[in-house]
Amino acid sequence: MNLKIIYFDLPFWRAEISRLPLFIANIKFEDVRINNDDWDHAKENGKMEDGTIIPFRELPVLHINGESIGQTMAIARICGKLGGMYPDDIFEAGKVDQIVVAVENINALLSPSMKESDPMKKRAMRKDLTSNELPTYFGYLQDLLTANNSDWFVGDNMTIADLAVWSLLGWIASGVIDDVSVEVIQRFEGLVKLYNQINKNPRVREWKIKTYDHDKVRSDEYSPSIPDSI
């Protein structure tokens, strides 16, 4: 099987939930990380210079046996299935999907403040997010994690749902989102435990060392003052 994941040179959750299942399962794939010129060409033409189709002119894209698949969830299902991190049972699969879609919703909550150019308005938007929407969503996620009565969101093993939440939390814990304090995560002990548990997975650590900025890769527990991941 010829697999290629196309995304930017970023450890963002939209790509990581597809890259990591393949890497963890030792499934060979081409990790294509495009630059700005590549992206400009793809947006204008709907395909890469080598002819690879970019559906919807959005990333990530999975190119599999000569055909392209777009949209984060569709790609994650395929890669999760190939890597043994997506359930066969339709109800269990739905439980995984709801977590990934929740992560997409949290991402959507953050998006308007990222597009805001006025610093004061941006700060106010971020303060509101940190005080209201983010804790609410993290509370929902923690309730679902606790209800499963295991270390994972669905079943007894890590799935793409866990990877999606882990990568999102790592983005926030990194401190790169101005005026969104990492402390917004800290009181959700179940999520913090999940985050640290995945950080300690040997294959995840190998992936981070292989692909991330090495100065940002840590080995210790999550701490607001010493952020891990991304």
Side-chain angles (χ1 to χ4, degrees):
M1 184 178 294
N2 190 343
L3 298 169
K4 177 165 61 176
I5 296 177
I6 305 166
Y7 196 64
F8 307 104
D9 189 15
L10 295 170
F12 195 53
W13 72 270
R14 287 190 181 279
E16 295 296 84
I17 60 170
S18 296
R19 292 166 174 162
L20 267 166
L22 300 179
F23 180 77
I24 290 171
N26 286 308
I27 296 171
K28 186 178 179 180
F29 73 101
E30 186 178 353
D31 184 14
V32 178
R33 302 186 178 224
I34 69 172
N35 58 35
N36 289 336
D37 290 340
D38 295 330
W39 180 226
D40 287 342
H41 185 278
K43 284 191 295 183
E44 182 178 350
N45 300 283
K47 58 184 177 181
M48 304 287 290
E49 289 188 4
D50 65 2
T52 301
I53 300 297
I54 305 297
F56 312 106
R57 305 189 186 200
E58 296 175 349
L59 296 179
V61 163
L62 172 66
H63 197 62
I64 178 169
N65 292 340
E67 296 192 57
S68 293
I69 297 287
Q71 302 298 339
T72 299
M73 189 72 245
I75 297 166
R77 284 193 191 103
I78 293 172
C79 294
K81 196 78 170 176
L82 291 171
M85 297 181 69
Y86 189 80
D88 291 323
D89 180 84
I90 192 169
F91 189 63
E92 295 292 285
K95 289 182 178 181
V96 169
D97 290 355
Q98 72 174 348
I99 300 299
V100 179
V101 172
V103 170
E104 289 185 323
N105 291 342
I106 294 170
N107 198 133
L109 289 174
L110 288 161
S111 183
S113 68
M114 294 177 177
K115 297 175 182 177
E116 178 56 60
S117 58
D118 185 309
M120 297 300 291
K121 289 182 180 179
K122 183 189 288 279
R123 182 172 297 174
M125 292 168 76
R126 296 274 173 84
K127 182 177 180 181
D128 187 55
L129 282 170
T130 304
S131 300
N132 298 299
E133 288 96 338
L134 290 180
T136 297
Y137 256 99
F138 290 151
Y140 296 154
L141 288 172
Q142 177 146 296
D143 287 346
L144 289 169
L145 180 61
T146 301
N148 189 45
N149 198 31
S150 79
D151 292 330
W152 310 107
F153 275 105
V154 181
D156 297 321
N157 297 291
M158 183 165 59
T159 67
I160 61 170
D162 305 296
L163 289 177
V165 173
W166 164 78
S167 191
L168 175 76
L169 295 180
W171 182 35
I172 295 173
S174 70
V176 300
I177 311 175
D178 292 340
D179 301 310
V180 175
S181 171
V182 296
E183 293 180 1
V184 72
I185 304 168
Q186 191 175 23
R187 66 187 174 95
F188 298 99
E189 295 180 1
L191 298 183
V192 172
K193 181 181 178 182
L194 175 79
Y195 175 74
N196 289 326
Q197 182 169 261
I198 295 177
N199 272 347
K200 291 177 179 178
N201 180 288
R203 290 292 283 169
V204 171
R205 290 208 52 75
E206 185 179 346
W207 175 254
K208 290 169 68 177
I209 292 168
K210 175 183 172 68
T211 63
Y212 289 19
D213 180 342
H214 291 191
D215 291 338
K216 295 181 181 179
V217 176
R218 307 281 196 266
S219 61
D220 296 330
E221 291 288 313
Y222 160 76
S223 165
S225 60
I226 309 177
D228 199 355
S229 186
I230 307 179

